[in-house]
């Protein structure tokens, strides 16, 4: 069983989630029997093309502070051609 933590913020203006908020989500996920808590995508220095790359790296550093393991997902698009 997997739980998901999600929040919607404006990267330019929000302070985002606090450690206490994430900690409460971790405790709740454990209480309802979840084996995993997905707290969302992380960005690394090798990522490129993001407008707010520095802010996204800071958010990722915050998330990694809770421990856990990274799961790698491929994100790509297939384009149909008239061949």
């Amino acid at each position: 069983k997997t739980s998901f933590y999600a929040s919607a913020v404006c990267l330019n203006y929000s302070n985002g989630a606090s450690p206490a908020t994430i900690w409460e989500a971790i405790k709740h996920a454990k209480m309802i029997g979840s084996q995993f808590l997905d707290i969302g995508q992380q960005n690394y220095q090798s990522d490129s093309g993001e407008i707010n790359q520095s802010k996204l790296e800071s958010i990722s550093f915050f998330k990694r502070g809770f421990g856990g393991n990274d799961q790698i997902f491929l994100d790509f698009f297939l384009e149909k051609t008239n061949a």
Side-chain angles (χ1 to χ4, degrees), residues 25-80:
I26 292 168
K27 291 191 316 183
H28 179 74
K30 183 176 180 178
M31 181 185 73
I32 64 171
S34 292
Q35 292 179 306
F36 303 100
L37 175 63
D38 185 335
I39 60 173
Q41 178 179 336
Q42 295 189 41
N43 290 68
Y44 296 91
Q45 287 182 334
S46 62
D47 293 343
S48 62
E50 295 289 341
I51 295 171
N52 294 306
Q53 186 63 29
S54 177
K55 176 73 172 179
L56 294 174
E57 288 172 13
S58 294
I59 293 168
S60 295
F61 180 77
F62 169 76
K63 290 178 179 180
R64 285 192 295 278
F66 291 96
N69 299 310
D70 287 348
Q71 300 293 318
I72 298 173
F73 293 93
L74 299 177
D75 188 15
F76 61 93
F77 297 94
L78 298 176
E79 186 175 313
K80 184 177 180 180

